[in-house]
Amino acid sequence: MHPALDQLSDRLLIQCRLSHAAAAARIADEHDTGLVLTGSSPEPTVRYLRDQGFDRPILCDADRYSGTRRISAGKGIRPAWCRRQHDLGLTALTDSGYLATRNWTGLRTILRAAARQPEPTIAMLPLAARWFATPSVCDALARVINGQHVPVALAIEHRSDPFGAQYVLRGFLRLLDAIAVPVLLLRCDVSALGALCHGAHAAAIGTVSALRHFYPITVGGGPPPPRVSAFVTPLLSYHRLDTCERVVAGTPELHQLWPCDCPACHGATPAQLSTTEDPPVATTEHSLHAQLRLRAELLRHTGEQGLSAWHEACSHALFVHDQVAETTTRWLAPANLRTWYAVTRDPLPHRTGIPRQPGRRAARTPRPLG
Ligand SMILES: [Zn+2]
């Protein structure tokens, strides 16, 4: 493996807009990780960060695959974009277009062109979710990827959360098992941690909702409006600040779960981020710190222990969601946690020593995570 790719190993990267790069870099530095800068002219930002002493890995996502002006994968990649990144001393990420389901020609076009670029280069594959619909298509996808020996970065298009769909998660895990090259997962949320525990080479969480998702183009609609949401570690999910307030106020018996000692919260609960000087900025910082701390905790484990730790984290979060649902109307645990819990198995089922009942999560006392 190229040394530059080795540097990305097991990293939970921060994916951000160019305008947020300086703030994201400060947090990345603190947690020994890198950035995925999203935008078409990253050079001034990369030079600024390097001048400021930021020496962690940086990838550049040209993001030509999303939005109403996205291009199709059949357009190929621009070698000049790769060259620009190499000139900056970076690993190149191709500026691929959108890969509609079974666009095999587009897939081969991207991979062959990426394989012709100097190393280190990663082929960006912005995939429609239906690529994961059947095992045979997943296996064929893996064979084509393995045929070019070039590392790949996936972003998965979905109208809500790809990892909330069981067929996507099953297909994604099948693909991870079958692919022989490093696989990165970009534009993700907390499921990035699940992907890392299951063997993804690296993964990226977005600083804002639009960079935690890759939405399809819809007629007369579009993605949901952006909103300020905080990652709540014991729930392993994002919630609006007013929702956080309702949860904290409605669950006095869980009061020990909610305080966060990250540099943005200073021991307050995420609900109190609404009283900070700049709630959107403080909330973003908190969410990144919280997930990067969780990554450090989970990635202490390797192999089966890592799989077990992630399954246990999902199980525990679902249990806390159950507790919250008892006092909060219309509360539903997030689809991605339910899916991770349903699709994956704990390979070390006796780790906790608590016998599990079929169809029920093991009862336990909620405890703070992280
Ligand atoms: Zn915090």
Side-chain angles (χ1 to χ4, degrees):
M1 189 183 304
H2 192 283
L5 281 166
D6 216 18
Q7 281 189 356
L8 292 168
S9 178
D10 285 341
R11 305 263 193 182
L12 180 62
L13 306 165
I14 300 173
Q15 184 152 11
C16 65
R17 303 270 185 224
L18 298 172
S19 55
H20 292 153
R26 280 193 292 275
I27 295 171
D29 227 3
E30 206 171 308
H31 296 272
D32 186 22
T33 191
L35 300 177
V36 182
L37 301 179
T38 311
S40 57
S41 303
E43 283 91 341
T45 306
V46 173
R47 290 196 188 101
Y48 171 81
L49 293 175
R50 293 301 192 222
D51 285 348
Q52 295 296 306
F54 182 74
D55 59 358
R56 316 279 179 193
I58 298 176
L59 297 175
C60 295
D61 182 356
D63 192 15
R64 293 207 298 165
Y65 52 82
S66 77
T68 52
R69 290 193 292 175
R70 73 184 183 191
I71 62 161
S72 167
K75 296 265 188 195
I77 67 165
R78 294 178 299 188
W81 169 256
C82 293
R83 203 160 48 241
R84 284 164 59 188
Q85 295 169 85
H86 287 148
D87 287 347
L88 291 164
L90 306 180
T91 296
L93 185 65
T94 64
D95 57 353
S96 318
Y98 172 64
L99 267 164
T101 312
R102 302 194 189 211
N103 181 357
W104 297 106
T105 306
L107 177 68
R108 290 191 178 91
T109 301
I110 291 171
L111 290 169
R112 282 177 188 149
R116 284 196 297 269
Q117 305 309 309
E119 288 189 80
T121 295
I122 298 170
M124 179 74 209
L125 301 180
L127 297 165
R130 299 300 297 176
W131 280 97
F132 299 100
T134 67
S136 60
V137 173
C138 274
D139 293 347
L141 180 58
R143 279 196 300 276
V144 174
I145 291 171
N146 285 337
Q148 292 297 332
H149 309 289
V150 64
V152 294
L154 312 184
I156 305 174
E157 181 197 48
H158 197 270
R159 60 188 154 79
S160 54
D161 178 353
F163 293 98
Q166 291 199 9
Y167 78 90
V168 176
L169 181 54
R170 284 203 178 89
F172 174 76
L173 296 176
R174 189 180 181 94
L175 195 68
L176 271 187
D177 278 347
I179 293 181
V181 295
V183 179
L184 287 73
L185 178 66
L186 302 189
R187 220 165 173 127
C188 200
D189 60 14
V190 69
S191 289
L193 291 168
L196 287 174
C197 289
H198 280 264
H201 187 68
I205 42 168
T207 51
V208 292
S209 177
L211 294 177
R212 293 193 285 271
H213 299 93
F214 164 23
Y215 291 115
I217 296 173
T218 52
V219 178
R227 58 188 189 185
V228 178
S229 295
F231 181 76
V232 182
T233 304
L235 295 169
L236 285 189
S237 49
Y238 284 83
H239 299 279
R240 284 178 8 195
L241 297 185
D242 58 333
T243 305
C244 293
E245 281 173 31
R246 271 198 303 140
V247 168
V248 171
T251 56
E253 72 283 7
L254 301 180
H255 67 93
Q256 81 281 5
L257 292 184
W258 310 127
C260 172
D261 64 354
C262 86
C265 297
H266 303 291
T269 72
Q272 289 164 285
L273 289 164
S274 62
T275 64
T276 55
E277 200 173 307
D278 190 337
V281 167
T283 303
T284 300
E285 287 185 5
H286 152 78
S287 297
L288 293 172
H289 282 300
Q291 287 170 99
L292 285 159
R293 286 177 172 199
L294 200 51
R295 179 245 163 243
E297 187 180 320
L298 288 168
L299 271 286
R300 279 192 293 116
H301 309 282
T302 55
E304 286 198 336
Q305 284 191 335
L307 302 183
S308 181
W310 173 245
H311 196 270
E312 174 71 9
C314 292
S315 171
H316 183 271
L318 286 167
F319 178 71
V320 180
H321 277 281
D322 285 349
Q323 302 288 102
V324 171
E326 287 178 13
T327 56
T328 312
T329 52
R330 297 196 303 279
W331 189 269
L332 191 62
N336 63 339
L337 296 185
R338 288 185 276 126
T339 302
W340 277 103
Y341 186 80
V343 166
T344 62
R345 291 284 168 269
D346 187 342
L348 307 173
H350 303 299
R351 195 166 70 110
T352 61
I354 302 171
R356 296 184 182 224
Q357 299 173 22
R360 289 192 57 192
R361 289 188 289 281
R364 61 176 64 85
T365 306
R367 58 175 167 75
L369 280 170

